[in-house]
Amino acid sequence: MALYAAAAAVLAGVDSRQGSLKGLVYASRFQNVKQLYALVCETRRYSAVLDAVIAGAGLLRAERKLRPPLAKVLVYELLLGRGFRGGGGRWKPLLSRHQARLKAELARLKVHRGVSRNEDLLDVGCRPGQASQVPRFVRVNTLKTCSDNVIDYFKRQGFSYQGRASSLEDLRALKGKCFLLDPLLSELLVFPGQTDLHDHPLYVAGHLILQDKASCLPALLLDPPPGSHVIDACAAPGNKTSHLAALLKNQGKIFAFDLDAKRLACMATLLAQTGVSCCQLAEEDFLAVSPSDQRYRQVQYILLDPSCSGSGMVTRQLEEPGAAAPSKERLQALAGFQLRALCHALTFPALQRLVYSTCSLCQEENEDVVRDALQQSAGTFRLAPVLPSWPHRGLSTFPGAEHCLRASPETTLTGGFFIAVLERAEEPSSVSQAETSAPELTPSAATKRKKRRCKAAAAPSTLPRT
């Protein structure tokens, strides 16, 4: 199966230092990037365990044409993963000949180490911590369907819908085939963390986007009305761009920039799959884009999610098990770029509202960058107070920093994230605080809005059949 060959090639590339795990995944040209990424991360996390099992079972001695990276991927799927997908192709009969010995070796390893669970075989630095408690968030793509239709679809598949969550405890308690509606975002469904929907027909058809809740907040808080002109400054891989398009209802324009051609190509595929038609992609450095260019004279909204250390990413512990904090030198370099990008964005003449976000936990990339940009803007822009009930605020490093938002597995059951909303101070903001806080409407009001959106969305018949 092409998935296993692609995963083995990525593993071999990482081991031989040909590139980063994520870079090699994007360069693989395998269509389902997320599926490939997840398989490689999990195989790598269990690498030492798989080496021991494969050696103990004598697999490579018996199958001399089987290379070690591919053997790891196949044995992971057989013993620790979901089982062979798509029938397993020619690999299933090969591994079946050794299945009994491989299972016996895994059982022997558990007995030897005095553990009963697979994850207890992992070294401490590779074991899931608080991040393992993060649920699976699934954003409904309102360009193609609506929450009610998707909920009905899952119910017909045997899932149990538990209604709208009222607290984080409701999310923590999720298990099995139960799911909830997020208490804040009316298009966000919440499943137990181990729920795998990469092969689900709604995901494959572009009706669902697998996107962490914290990653949904930037577009939500930018809140551009339909018809707006928006810049997505560092756009790939495209989840936030597709969210912006959904908020715009494909009415208006999104100018999306990214320097990485391969990531941009994957993004183009994602946008086509999700029905986005209002976006213009450009393989261009946002810092080289002229604010005086007439194409951007109507841009009032900018989403800036620049390259960062990724220290808040839940998947980072899978890519780099036991990874240390980013070095001071790297943080200084990243913060310098982030500050230049933010100050550049604030020079667009029609700009009214900007969201700056990172998936970093580091103050240098977050509060410090926002503070310095506000100082350089000389009072032209200010921090907008948003989501007053959000439990995790910005670090108190400068006056007004409490208007920024932070997220983490411990406090919000999401990936680590930082968000600041800047608005022009010279005139009233185009988005009032009441509108900004709209997701905190009472459930009854939110339900009415959702029903109106459902009527405007695609008909139920457009959903794949169960």
Side-chain angles (χ1 to χ4, degrees), residues 171-425:
L171 305 188
R172 285 192 180 96
L174 275 174
K175 58 184 179 180
K177 296 189 73 171
C178 295
F179 71 108
L180 291 159
L181 187 66
D182 184 76
L184 182 63
L185 287 82
S186 58
E187 278 82 37
L188 196 65
L189 303 179
V190 193
F191 293 80
Q194 300 307 310
T195 307
D196 188 351
L197 298 172
H198 286 95
D199 294 327
H200 194 278
L202 292 185
Y203 172 73
V204 173
H207 293 253
L208 300 178
I209 292 91
L210 307 182
Q211 185 174 4
D212 185 72
K213 178 177 179 176
S215 177
C216 294
L217 293 178
L220 178 83
L221 293 174
L222 189 62
D223 198 21
S228 302
H229 286 203
V230 182
I231 282 178
D232 191 348
C234 304
N239 281 343
K240 298 181 187 69
T241 315
S242 69
H243 195 182
L244 287 170
L247 293 171
L248 291 172
K249 301 177 181 177
N250 263 339
Q251 300 169 24
K253 287 184 180 178
I254 300 173
F255 302 98
F257 302 97
D258 205 278
L259 264 178
D260 192 316
K262 290 175 181 175
R263 282 165 57 87
L264 211 59
C266 290
M267 179 176 172
T269 300
L270 182 147
L271 297 184
Q273 179 186 20
T274 53
V276 174
S277 61
C278 63
C279 184
Q280 297 180 15
L281 295 179
E283 185 185 332
E284 190 172 354
D285 182 355
F286 173 64
L287 287 171
V289 176
S290 172
S292 61
D293 190 314
Q294 287 300 296
R295 286 175 293 180
Y296 314 122
R297 67 184 183 279
Q298 297 182 56
V299 170
Q300 293 185 305
Y301 301 87
I302 293 180
L303 194 158
L304 175 61
D305 188 76
S307 297
C308 71
S309 65
S311 55
M313 294 175 64
V314 171
T315 54
R316 187 168 182 260
Q317 67 178 2
L318 302 180
E319 287 188 34
E320 306 171 60
S327 68
K328 182 178 180 181
E329 293 73 21
R330 182 165 185 244
L331 285 177
Q332 286 178 340
L334 286 167
F337 162 72
Q338 292 154 354
L339 179 60
R340 291 194 300 275
L342 180 52
C343 289
H344 180 65
L346 295 178
T347 63
F348 281 73
L351 180 66
Q352 293 297 317
R353 192 173 180 87
L354 177 146
V355 168
Y356 172 79
S357 63
T358 75
C359 52
S360 169
L361 302 176
C362 302
Q363 175 186 323
E364 294 89 339
E365 300 178 88
N366 297 331
E367 289 87 357
D368 290 358
V369 169
V370 172
R371 177 201 62 204
D372 293 349
L374 288 172
Q375 289 175 352
Q376 293 188 33
S377 79
T380 306
F381 286 86
R382 65 189 176 199
L383 278 170
V386 294
L387 300 184
S389 66
W390 187 260
H392 197 173
R393 315 303 298 188
L395 303 178
S396 301
T397 58
F398 65 92
E402 69 277 3
H403 295 323
C404 302
L405 306 180
R406 277 179 168 262
S408 69
E410 296 82 2
T411 59
T412 56
L413 279 185
T414 66
F417 222 78
F418 172 86
I419 302 167
V421 181
L422 284 69
E423 62 184 8
R424 189 174 290 275

Side-chain angles (χ1 to χ4, degrees), residues 14-35:
V14 172
D15 290 343
S16 60
R17 299 177 181 262
Q18 294 176 19
S20 69
L21 188 153
K22 186 171 287 187
L24 292 169
V25 166
Y26 276 103
S28 70
R29 297 187 179 179
F30 185 77
Q31 186 173 7
N32 194 332
V33 171
K34 291 185 177 180
Q35 184 186 48

Side-chain angles (χ1 to χ4, degrees), residues 79 92 98 114 160 169 196 256 263 392:
L79 300 182
K92 185 174 181 179
H98 306 278
S160 175
E169 292 308 312
D196 188 351
R263 282 165 57 87
H392 197 173

